[in-house]
Amino acid sequence: MIKQIGLTIGGTHKTNIIKSPMPGLVLRISVNEGDVVEEGDELVVVEAMKMETPVMAPFPGTVQNISIAQGDQVQASQFLLEIV
């Protein structure tokens, strides 16, 4: 019955939206739109209080829709880019 209504048991939901883990300054964007990335590849580096925090790819895919630029100030959970 679960399959009939489109649900799965024990499934995980994978989001393709990459968000900032904290407020800070976009120090570096390591990818371009159209780049193919592997799990663990560095995507963006956000700096806050002199600490650099890399944002890594959580899964392999192709980078799309980069919505930030180097030097931008971002908020926690702000959309950075999308991986499909």
Side-chain angles (χ1 to χ4, degrees):
M1 184 170 200
I2 291 174
K3 285 184 181 181
Q4 289 174 344
I5 60 173
L7 299 175
T8 59
I9 295 176
T12 59
H13 177 68
K14 177 175 83 171
T15 180
N16 58 346
I17 302 296
I18 308 301
K19 296 180 180 181
S20 179
M22 64 184 166
L25 175 74
V26 176
L27 192 60
R28 178 174 60 248
I29 302 173
S30 304
V31 294
N32 295 303
E33 288 185 7
D35 286 357
V36 175
V37 295
E38 296 298 323
E39 182 176 343
D41 286 354
E42 180 182 282
L43 303 171
V44 177
V45 176
V46 178
E47 179 187 48
M49 298 173 52
K50 307 279 185 192
M51 296 288 294
E52 296 181 11
T53 302
V55 178
M56 308 299 229
F59 51 85
T62 303
V63 176
Q64 290 186 350
N65 302 327
I66 298 175
S67 68
I68 42 108
Q70 186 174 340
D72 284 356
Q73 288 287 336
V74 294
Q75 299 302 313
S77 298
Q78 180 175 332
F79 173 84
L80 301 175
L81 56 90
E82 182 177 12
I83 298 176
V84 294

